[in-house]
C-alpha cells in the first residue's frame, strides 16, 4: 500500500531550493544512516530533528500537512486530451444556463443557488469529458454523488446535451405540474437522471464510502464484477463540518478503497461566511484525511501563480501563503492591487521586493481569478492522479472562488449563497467575459434568455462524442430490465404456521430463524445481505457466522479465539454478513447501497438490517428518508422493540416511539407483528412486492420496517379461515373471539373489541380471559399488525372520496359489525394506535406507554405505564360503563382488586 503521508517528489519541486547541493548532502546523510544503522535509526533521528526544530521555533508544516501549494506542479502536469478550447465553450454555455435558470425562477420565489456551480464548473466538466464512465461502460459505470447546490449546472449540461428542454428548465423547483426539475438530486422525483440523494449534507460522503465498499463486496462475493466502477463524491468544504462527512474515513483507508475519490470544492465559504475565517480549511482537511490514511492531492493555485513561485527564491511566498487565514484570502479576492501589495506582500521584505516586479494586472489575475479548481489542466492532472493511485482512496482539495465569473456582485461575497438572481447588466457582463454569442436583443422585456449553440453544433457534437466514448450520458439512473427474483420455497414460510407448541419463542428469534431458512434457498439465498451493527449475538445471529461468513476484503488473517467452537467467528473475503461495528449510520449506508443495487448495478440484492429499535429511526431517520428518496428496497428490523420488553436497560434503550417516526416516511411500510407466522407472511409478501411481481398500482420502491421483541412467548398456530393473510398484510384481522377462545360468555354479555399489536397482544389475551371469568364481559381480540398501513389506506380512501369515488377504508370494513366499543393497546405511545381512531365507527379509546422508559421488570414497567392485562381490564370496563353496559361501580371495584 502506498504511504499517503509520504511527501512526493512532485511536491518538493514546487518549493524553492537556494542550495540544492546542501539539500542533496542532507538526503545522502539520511540514506547513509538508513543503510548502515537501519530505517528505524533513521526514523529516530528524523523525529529528534523535528522536535528540535519545533523547540527552536522554526516554522514547519505539521507532519500531516504539506505546504500551501499544489501537490502536482505545473511542470509535472500531463497534457489534457481533447479540445480544451471546445470544452471551455461548453463550460461557458453551462455557466450561462445555470445562472439563467435560477434567475428566471426567482420571479416565482422558489429559490435556487447560483454561486456553488459557478465555482465548481470545471470540476464537473473535466470529469464529464474525460473520467466519468456511463452505464454502458465496463461493470456498471461510475457512481456520481453530485453536490446538491450545484444541481443547476448539471441540469444546464443535460439541456445542452438534449436531455432536457427549455420547458424543463423553466420548471426548476416547480414539480407539481409535471416536467419539473427538483431542487437537488432526488431520484424519486427524477428517476432517469439522479442516482444518489446528496442533500441533507453529510450523507453524501458517508454513502459514497459505503457504496465504494459495497462495490467491492459484490465483486468479492462473485455477484458481479464491478471493479471497473469508480465512485466520485463532490462535496463542499463547509459540508465537511457535518460529523457524517468524515465518520467513515478510516473504513475507506482500512479497506484500501482506491475505487473512491472525494472532490472537495474549497471555495472557503459556507452558507453564512468563511468556513474557517481565522484558519485554513484546506490544511485542516489535508491533515484529517492524511491522518485517516487517504491519498491527498491539493489543487490550489492556477497557472498565473507560476511566475510568483519562480520568483520566490527564499520561500517567503510559501511561508506567507501558509500564514494568511482563509477569510483574508477571501478579502483579497475583492480588493484592489494596492491593498494586496500592502497587506500580503508588505508583510515580508522579500515579498515586497517581489511585488515590485509584478504589475497590478498580474496581482489581480493571481488573487482574483487564478485558482487550481478553475483550470481544466490542473483539474485533469488531479483526477488522473486519483484514478491511478492504488492502495488508498484519494481526496482532491480544489481551491475555487465562490461565484466565479458571475461578476463583482457575487464573487467571494459572504451573502452569495442566498443571492438568487443576476440583473440584465450583470448577465451582459458575464456574456462578454465568457465570450458567448448572445445579442442584446435576446433579452426580451428584461428576461434573460436560455442559450444553446444548436443541436448539431460543434459543441454539442463534441459533448456527445465524449460521453459516447465514456459509456453514455451521466449522471443517469437506469433500472435494468431483469426478471423478477423467484419466490423462495414455500416451506420456509409455512413452517411457522403450526406455532411453537409448548416452547416460548421471541419474535426476534423467529425472524432470525426465517432468515436462516431463506439464505439457504438455492435461487435467492446468495442475494440476502445481512447487516448488523455489532449486536449479532444480542439478536441470536451468531450461528450465521460460520455458515455465511463475515465480509472482510482481507479474509481472515488470524486464528479466531473460538475456532474450536461450532459457532466460531469467521471472516471471509466472500463473506455474506456485513458486521459494521458500533455504527448505525454506517449500517444504514450499507443498507442503502445494497437496497438500490437493482438500479446501480442491475443486480437485485435483499438487505435486512437488524438493530436495536431505539437506535434505528431515532438516530438515523434522515438516512431512512434518503433511502426512500433513492428508491431503496429491503427489510429494516427493529429488534428489542417496545417500551417495556427490554428489562433493565432503562430510559435510553426503551423504544416507545419508532413506529411514530417510521409512519412519517412515505416509503416505509411499518409492521408490528405479534406472532411468528405474521412475520413469515409479511416477509413473504414483501419479497413478492419488492422483488417479484408487484400487483397493479403497487409501488415496488418501498422498504419494510418490522418491530420484533426479545420476550419469549408462546407462538400460536396460524388461525384458519379466509382473509387471514390479507388482514396480516393490510394491518388488521380478528385473531379470536371470546367463543373461539373457549370462554363461553353469556348470550347477552357485554362485548368489547380489543386491538393489540406486537407483544401487547399477549396482555390483551390475558385481559380477554379476566374480563370473561371475573366480570362477565365478552372480548374479541384483533391483531393490528400495522397501524400505519391502516391509516395510509384510510387516507387514500379519503382522497378517493374527494375525487368522487366511493371507497371504504379497510379498517372500517374489517371492524364492520363488530359489537361494542374498541380498545386499542400497544407497547408504544398512544399516538401509534391513535393513527386509526377517526376511521373507526365504534367508540374508540387506546392505551400506550407514553413518556420515558425506565429500568424494572417487564411486569412492573407495564403496570407503571398502565398497559398490563389488569389495566386493560379496567379501561375496558370504563368504556362499557360509559355506555351503561356494566355498572359504574365495576370500574372502581376492578381498580381496587388489581391494585391500580
Amino acid at each position: 500500500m502506498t504511504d499517503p503521508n509520504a511527501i512526493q517528489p512532485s511536491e518538493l519541486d514546487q518549493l524553492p531550493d537556494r542550495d540544492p547541493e546542501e539539500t542533496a548532502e542532507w538526503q545522502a546523510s539520511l540514506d547513509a544512516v538508513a543503510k548502515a544503522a537501519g530505517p528505524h535509526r533513521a526514523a529516530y533521528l528524523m523525529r529528534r530533528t523535528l522536535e528540535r526544530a519545533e523547540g527552536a521555533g522554526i516554522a514547519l508544516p505539521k507532519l500531516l500537512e504539506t505546504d500551501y501549494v499544489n501537490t502536482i506542479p505545473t511542470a509535472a502536469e500531463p497534457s489534457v486530451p481533447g479540445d480544451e478550447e471546445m470544452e471551455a465553450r461548453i463550460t461557458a454555455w453551462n455557466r450561462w444556463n445555470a445562472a439563467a435558470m435560477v434567475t428566471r425562477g426567482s420571479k416565482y420565489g422558489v429559490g435556487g443557488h447560483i454561486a456553488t456551480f459557478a465555482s465548481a464548473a470545471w470540476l464537473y466538466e473535466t470529469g464529464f469529458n474525460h473520467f466519468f464512465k456511463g452505464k454502458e461502460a465496463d461493470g456498471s459505470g461510475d457512481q456520481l454523488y453530485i453536490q446538491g447546490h450545484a444541481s443547476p449546472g448539471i441540469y444546464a449540461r443535460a439541456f445542452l446535451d438534449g436531455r432536457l428542454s427549455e420547458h424543463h428548465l423553466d420548471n426548476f423547483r416547480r414539480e407539481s405540474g409535471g416536467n419539473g426539475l427538483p431542487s437537488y438530486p432526488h431520484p424519486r422525483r427524477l428517476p432517469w437522471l439522479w442516482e444518489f440523494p446528496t442533500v441533507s449534507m453529510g450523507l453524501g460522503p458517508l454513502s459514497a464510502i459505503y457504496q465504494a465498499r459495497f462495490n467491492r463486496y459484490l465483486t468479492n462475493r462473485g455477484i458481479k464484477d464491478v471493479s471497473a466502477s469508480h465512485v466520485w463524491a463532490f462535496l463542499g468544504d463547509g459540508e465537511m463540518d457535518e460529523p457524517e462527512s468524515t465518520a467513515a474515513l478510516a473504513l475507506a483507508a482500512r479497506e484500501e478503497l482506491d475505487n473512491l475519490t472525494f472532490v472537495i470544492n474549497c471555495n472557503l465559504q459556507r452558507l453564512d461566511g468563511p468556513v474557517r475565517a481565522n484558519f485554513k480549511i484546506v490544511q485542516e482537511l489535508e491533515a484529517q484525511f492524511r491522518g485517516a490514511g487517504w491519498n491527498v492531492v491539493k489543487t490550489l493555485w492556477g497557472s498565473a501563480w507560476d511566475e510568483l513561485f519562480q520568483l520566490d527564491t527564499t520561500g517567503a511566498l510559501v511561508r506567507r501563503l501558509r500564514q494568511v487565514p482563509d477569510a483574508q484570502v477571501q478579502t483579497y479576492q475583492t480588493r484592489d492591487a494596492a491593498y494586496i501589495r500592502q497587506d500580503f506582500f508588505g508583510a515580508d521584505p522579500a515579498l515586497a521586493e517581489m511585488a515590485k516586479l509584478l504589475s497590478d494586472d498580474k496581482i489581480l489575475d493571481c488573487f482574483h481569478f487564478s485558482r487550481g479548481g478553475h483550470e481544466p489542466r490542473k483539474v485533469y492532472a488531479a483526477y488522473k492522479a486519483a484514478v491511478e493511485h492504488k492502495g488508498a482512496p484519494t481526496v482532491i482539495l480544489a481551491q475555487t472562488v465562490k461565484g466565479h465569473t458571475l461578476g463583482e456582485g457575487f464573487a467571494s461575497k459572504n451573502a452569495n449563497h442566498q443571492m438568487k438572481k443576476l440583473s440584465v447588466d450583470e448577465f451582459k457582463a458575464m456574456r462578454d467575459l465568457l465570450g458567448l454569442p448572445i445579442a442584446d436583443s435576446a433579452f426580451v422585456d428584461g428576461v434573460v434568455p436560455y442559450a444553446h449553440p444548436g443541436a448539431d453544433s460543434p459543441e454539442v457534437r463534441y459533448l456527445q462524442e465524449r460521453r459516447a466514448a465514456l459509456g453514455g450520458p451521466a449522471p443517469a439512473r437506469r433500472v435494468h430490465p431483469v426478471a423478477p427474483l423467484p419466490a423462495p420455497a414455500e416451506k420456509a414460510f409455512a413452517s411457522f404456521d403450526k406455532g411453537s407448541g409448548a416452547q416460548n419463542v421471541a419474535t426476534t428469534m423467529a425472524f432470525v430463524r426465517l432468515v436462516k431458512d431463506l439464505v439457504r434457498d438455492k435461487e435467492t439465498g446468495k442475494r440476502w445481505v445481512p447487516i448488523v451493527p455489532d449486536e449479532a449475538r444480542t439478536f441470536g445471529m451468531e450461528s450465521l457466522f460460520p455458515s455465511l461468513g463475515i465480509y472482510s476484503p482481507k479474509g481472515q488473517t488470524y486464528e479466531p479465539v473460538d475456532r474450536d467452537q461450532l459457532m466460531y467467528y469467521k471472516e471471509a473475503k466472500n463473506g455474506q454478513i456485513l458486521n459494521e461495528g458500533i455504527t448505525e449510520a454506517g449500517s444504514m449506508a450499507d443498507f442503502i447501497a445494497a437496497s438500490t443495487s437493482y438500479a446501480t448495478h442491475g443486480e437485485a440484492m435483499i438487505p435486512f438490517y437488524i438493530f436495536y429499535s431505539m437506535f434505528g429511526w431515532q438516530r438515523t431517520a434522515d438516512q431512512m428518508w434518503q433511502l426512500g428518496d433513492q428508491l431503496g428496497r429491503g427489510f429494516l428490523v427493529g429488534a428489542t422493540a417496545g417500551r417495556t420488553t427490554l428489562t433493565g436497560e432503562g430510559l435510553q434503550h426503551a423504544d416507545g416511539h419508532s413506529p411514530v417516526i417510521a409512519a412519517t416516511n412515505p416509503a416505509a411500510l411499518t409492521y408490528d407483528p405479534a406472532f411468528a407466522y405474521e412475520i413469515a407472511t409479511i416477509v413473504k409478501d414483501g419479497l413478492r412486492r419488492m422483488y417479484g411481481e408487484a400487483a397493479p398500482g403497487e409501488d415496488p420502491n418501498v422498504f419494510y420496517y418490522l418491530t420484533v421483541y426479545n420476550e419469549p412467548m408462546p407462538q400460536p398456530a396460524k388461525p384458519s379461515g379466509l382473509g387471514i393473510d390479507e388482514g396480516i398484510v393490510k394491518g388488521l384481522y380478528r385473531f379470536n373471539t371470546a367463543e373461539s377462545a373457549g370462554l363461553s360468555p353469556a348470550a347477552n354479555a357485554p362485548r368489547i373489541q380489543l386491538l393489540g399489536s406486537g407483544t401487547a397482544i399477549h396482555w390483551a389475551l390475558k385481559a380477554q380471559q379476566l374480563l370473561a371469568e371475573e366480570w362477565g364481559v365478552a372480548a374479541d381480540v384483533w391483531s393490528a399488525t400495522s397501524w400505519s398501513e391502516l391509516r395510509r389506506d384510510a387516507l387514500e380512501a379519503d382522497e378517493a372520496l374527494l375525487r368522487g369515488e366511493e371507497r371504504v377504508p379497510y379498517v372500517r370494513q374489517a371492524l364492520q359489525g363488530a359489537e361494542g366499543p374498541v380498545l386499542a393497546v400497544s407497547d408504544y405511545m398512544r399516538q401509534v394506535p391513535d393513527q386509526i381512531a377517526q376511521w373507526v365507527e365504534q367508540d374508540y379509546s387506546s392505551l400506550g406507554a407514553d413518556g420515558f422508559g425506565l429500568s424494572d421488570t417487564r411486569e412492573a414497567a407495564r403496570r407503571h405505564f398502565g398497559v398490563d392485562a389488569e389495566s386493560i381490564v379496567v379501561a375496558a370496563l370504563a368504556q362499557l360503563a360509559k355506555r351503561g353496559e356494566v355498572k359504574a361501580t365495576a370500574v372502581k371495584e376492578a381498580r381496587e382488586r388489581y391494585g391500580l
Side-chain angles (χ1 to χ4, degrees):
M1 175 177 173
T2 303
D3 181 4
N5 295 330
I7 298 176
Q8 304 301 317
S10 58
E11 293 171 333
L12 298 176
D13 292 342
Q14 182 75 73
L15 308 180
D17 190 347
R18 59 185 177 185
D19 193 343
E21 185 176 347
E22 182 183 31
T23 303
E25 290 175 357
W26 277 78
Q27 293 171 334
S29 297
L30 182 64
D31 292 342
V33 171
K35 184 176 181 180
H40 296 294
R41 178 60 181 170
Y44 175 85
L45 292 175
M46 286 297 297
R47 284 198 300 271
R48 290 293 178 262
T49 302
L50 289 170
E51 290 169 2
R52 183 64 173 259
E54 184 177 355
I58 299 173
L60 288 172
K62 296 177 182 177
L63 290 178
L64 291 176
E65 296 177 13
T66 59
D67 280 300
Y68 203 66
V69 297
N70 294 348
T71 302
I72 305 170
T74 302
E77 292 168 1
S79 59
V80 180
D83 188 331
E84 293 187 49
E85 183 180 343
M86 183 70 73
E87 292 177 18
R89 293 207 300 271
I90 292 171
T91 305
W93 291 112
N94 292 339
R95 287 182 182 278
W96 177 274
N97 288 318
M101 180 195 324
V102 178
T103 297
R104 287 167 66 124
S106 66
K107 66 181 179 181
Y108 301 106
V110 294
H113 302 286
I114 301 177
T116 295
F117 178 73
S119 68
W122 275 113
L123 301 180
Y124 291 106
E125 194 60 37
T126 302
F128 284 129
N129 285 323
H130 302 287
F131 292 94
F132 304 158
K133 295 187 287 292
K135 294 297 180 184
E136 295 161 20
D138 291 342
S140 304
D142 287 354
Q143 288 80 55
L144 308 181
Y145 288 76
I146 305 294
Q147 190 179 1
H149 294 142
S151 61
I154 307 305
Y155 292 139
R157 196 174 201 277
F159 169 65
L160 203 66
D161 192 12
R163 294 200 289 162
L164 293 175
S165 67
E166 287 193 15
H167 179 71
H168 287 113
L169 301 193
D170 265 343
N171 283 285
F172 174 58
R173 292 195 170 201
R174 294 193 299 143
E175 301 175 75
S176 59
N179 290 323
L181 300 179
S183 53
Y184 303 127
H186 292 303
R188 188 167 284 273
R189 292 298 185 207
L190 203 62
W192 60 268
L193 180 73
W194 297 121
E195 277 195 285
F196 307 107
T198 50
V199 178
S200 299
M201 288 191 291
L203 299 188
L206 181 67
S207 293
I209 289 174
Y210 281 89
Q211 181 66 57
R213 195 283 196 88
F214 187 75
N215 290 358
R216 290 281 173 84
Y217 172 88
L218 281 183
T219 300
N220 287 337
R221 286 198 55 215
I223 302 293
K224 182 179 182 179
D225 184 358
V226 294
S227 55
S229 294
H230 200 88
V231 177
W232 299 83
F234 288 83
L235 319 169
D237 47 0
E239 181 179 5
M240 301 310 293
D241 285 345
E242 289 282 5
E244 294 89 350
S245 294
T246 56
L249 298 186
L251 167 71
R254 182 170 65 246
E255 299 204 1
E256 301 180 6
L257 298 180
D258 50 24
N259 61 338
L260 170 68
T261 297
F262 276 15
V263 181
I264 302 182
N265 179 14
C266 298
N267 56 36
L268 313 185
Q269 289 182 248
R270 50 189 176 198
L271 278 61
D272 287 334
V275 179
R276 293 290 183 271
N278 296 297
F279 306 94
K280 302 189 79 64
I281 185 60
V282 168
Q283 298 299 88
E284 179 181 319
L285 291 173
E286 178 184 29
Q288 192 170 15
F289 277 86
R290 283 187 184 276
W294 286 53
N295 176 48
V296 179
V297 177
K298 293 196 291 191
T299 303
L300 307 180
W301 307 112
S303 56
W305 284 83
D306 290 349
E307 180 182 346
L308 276 66
F309 286 120
Q310 290 170 3
L311 293 172
D312 183 28
T313 59
T314 65
L317 177 61
V318 174
R319 289 194 300 271
R320 182 67 177 141
L321 289 173
R322 194 166 65 236
Q323 294 166 356
V324 177
D326 283 352
Q328 191 64 24
V329 173
Q330 183 183 351
T331 298
Y332 292 149
Q333 291 163 190
T334 63
R335 298 300 179 88
D336 59 22
Y339 178 88
I340 299 171
R341 285 183 186 277
Q342 178 180 348
D343 191 88
F344 182 83
F345 291 98
D348 186 290
L351 290 180
E353 289 299 313
M354 179 191 297
K356 294 177 182 179
L357 303 175
L358 304 173
S359 67
D360 285 356
D361 287 345
K362 180 66 176 180
I363 289 175
L364 293 179
D365 188 20
C366 287
F367 283 84
H368 284 193
F369 307 110
S370 188
R371 298 292 184 273
H374 295 321
E375 297 194 10
R377 184 184 179 95
K378 297 191 180 298
V379 175
Y380 180 87
Y383 286 7
K384 190 172 187 292
V387 297
E388 291 179 352
H389 187 83
K390 301 302 178 185
T394 293
V395 58
I396 296 169
L397 303 174
Q399 187 164 253
T400 65
V401 176
K402 192 167 186 178
H404 184 59
T405 74
L406 297 180
E408 294 181 359
F410 264 83
S412 292
K413 296 299 175 65
N414 277 336
N416 61 19
H417 191 80
Q418 306 302 327
M419 297 161 70
K420 311 299 180 188
K421 59 184 178 180
L422 279 71
S423 68
V424 169
D425 287 342
E426 287 172 323
F427 265 109
K428 290 179 179 178
M430 179 183 175
R431 170 200 62 188
D432 296 340
L433 176 65
L434 297 176
L436 291 172
I438 303 170
D440 286 353
S441 59
F443 293 82
V444 180
D445 297 327
V447 177
V448 58
Y450 296 120
H452 198 290
D456 196 41
S457 65
E459 292 92 336
V460 173
R461 289 201 307 270
Y462 181 90
L463 180 156
Q464 293 175 342
E465 287 168 1
R466 291 306 309 144
R467 289 311 316 156
L470 287 165
R477 181 180 182 273
R478 186 174 300 173
V479 178
H480 301 262
V482 294
L485 294 182
E490 180 63 26
K491 64 179 181 180
F493 306 103
S495 63
F496 293 88
D497 291 351
K498 61 185 179 182
S500 63
Q503 183 182 9
N504 289 343
V505 177
T507 52
T508 298
M509 294 297 100
F511 178 82
V512 170
R513 181 190 148 190
L514 175 63
V515 169
K516 288 179 182 177
D517 291 341
L518 292 174
V519 296
R520 295 192 191 104
D521 186 84
K522 293 181 179 179
E523 296 289 338
T524 60
K526 69 177 182 179
R527 297 194 175 272
W528 283 85
V529 183
I531 303 167
V532 59
D534 201 36
E535 289 281 4
R537 297 182 193 278
T538 302
F539 308 135
M541 293 175 59
E542 64 270 28
S543 61
L544 297 178
F545 289 170
S547 58
L548 300 184
I550 300 166
Y551 172 73
S552 169
K554 296 283 189 182
Q556 193 156 37
T557 61
Y558 61 92
E559 183 178 357
V561 67
D562 53 0
R563 183 63 181 86
D564 58 342
Q565 298 179 15
L566 181 63
M567 294 184 289
Y568 71 97
Y569 193 83
K570 177 187 175 183
E571 294 189 82
K573 191 172 183 178
N574 64 346
Q576 194 164 350
I577 300 170
L578 292 173
N579 191 317
E580 287 306 338
I582 305 174
T583 167
E584 283 82 9
S587 299
M588 266 307 302
D590 259 339
F591 187 89
I592 291 170
S595 70
T596 54
S597 180
Y598 73 93
T600 308
H601 296 299
E603 294 286 347
M605 304 300 287
I606 311 171
F608 82 87
Y609 164 34
I610 188 167
F611 51 86
Y612 257 105
S613 64
M614 185 68 170
F615 303 134
W617 286 88
Q618 176 165 299
R619 284 192 178 178
T620 57
D622 200 13
Q623 287 178 286
M624 273 80 162
W625 202 263
Q626 178 190 14
L627 166 65
D629 189 348
Q630 200 168 320
L631 308 172
R633 306 170 183 175
F635 297 95
L636 298 175
V637 183
T640 60
R643 184 77 84 195
T644 70
T645 61
L646 190 59
T647 56
E649 294 287 354
L651 183 150
Q652 190 66 15
H653 285 66
D655 170 27
H657 55 278
S658 70
V660 177
I661 308 175
T664 65
N665 191 309
L669 278 61
T670 303
Y671 286 90
D672 185 27
F675 305 123
Y677 67 79
E678 294 178 352
I679 293 173
T681 302
I682 293 165
V683 170
K684 178 183 177 181
D685 193 69
L687 290 172
R688 175 200 61 79
R689 176 170 178 172
M690 294 185 292
Y691 300 96
E693 296 285 355
E698 271 188 330
D699 183 4
N701 298 314
V702 295
F703 60 93
Y704 284 65
Y705 175 52
L706 280 70
T707 51
V708 294
Y709 300 83
N710 70 327
E711 183 176 13
M713 299 296 286
Q715 296 298 325
K718 187 177 184 177
S720 59
L722 296 175
I724 296 296
D725 284 2
E726 179 188 27
I728 292 172
V729 172
K730 289 191 171 182
L732 183 67
Y733 69 97
R734 182 154 43 197
F735 175 72
N736 70 12
T737 63
E739 290 77 8
S740 66
L743 297 174
S744 304
N748 61 347
R751 188 172 289 268
I752 190 169
Q753 308 298 317
L754 301 180
L755 277 59
S757 69
T759 194
I761 203 167
H762 297 284
W763 323 329
L765 289 169
K766 182 178 178 182
Q768 178 189 44
Q769 183 177 0
L770 291 174
L771 284 166
E773 294 176 353
E774 300 185 13
W775 305 100
V777 172
D780 300 338
V781 176
W782 299 69
S783 179
T785 54
S786 179
W787 307 100
S788 63
E789 283 304 292
L790 293 172
R791 176 180 176 82
R792 187 169 287 164
D793 170 80
L795 289 172
E796 291 173 358
D798 287 355
E799 292 172 5
L801 190 62
L802 291 175
R803 297 191 300 267
E805 303 172 17
E806 288 294 332
R807 180 176 158 192
V808 180
Y810 175 79
V811 64
R812 189 170 295 168
Q813 294 178 44
L815 291 171
Q816 187 174 13
E819 298 177 36
V822 170
L823 174 60
V825 61
S826 81
D827 204 16
Y828 301 94
M829 56 198 305
R830 289 175 60 182
Q831 187 174 339
V832 174
D834 284 352
Q835 291 179 85
I836 66 170
Q838 72 186 83
W839 294 281
V840 176
E841 293 181 317
Q842 294 88 342
D843 293 337
Y844 187 91
S845 62
S846 64
L847 296 174
D850 286 76
F852 289 112
L854 78 164
S855 297
D856 213 315
T857 63
R858 293 184 176 115
E859 293 75 15
R862 286 162 189 165
R863 177 56 57 90
H864 170 82
F865 288 110
V867 294
D868 60 350
E870 292 78 9
S871 297
I872 294 173
V873 169
V874 172
L877 293 173
Q879 269 195 289
L880 293 168
K882 284 169 57 176
R883 296 161 58 94
E885 297 181 24
V886 301
K887 295 179 180 179
T889 55
V891 181
K892 182 175 182 295
E893 182 183 347
R895 190 181 300 117
E896 292 174 350
R897 180 182 302 182
Y898 300 135
L900 297 177

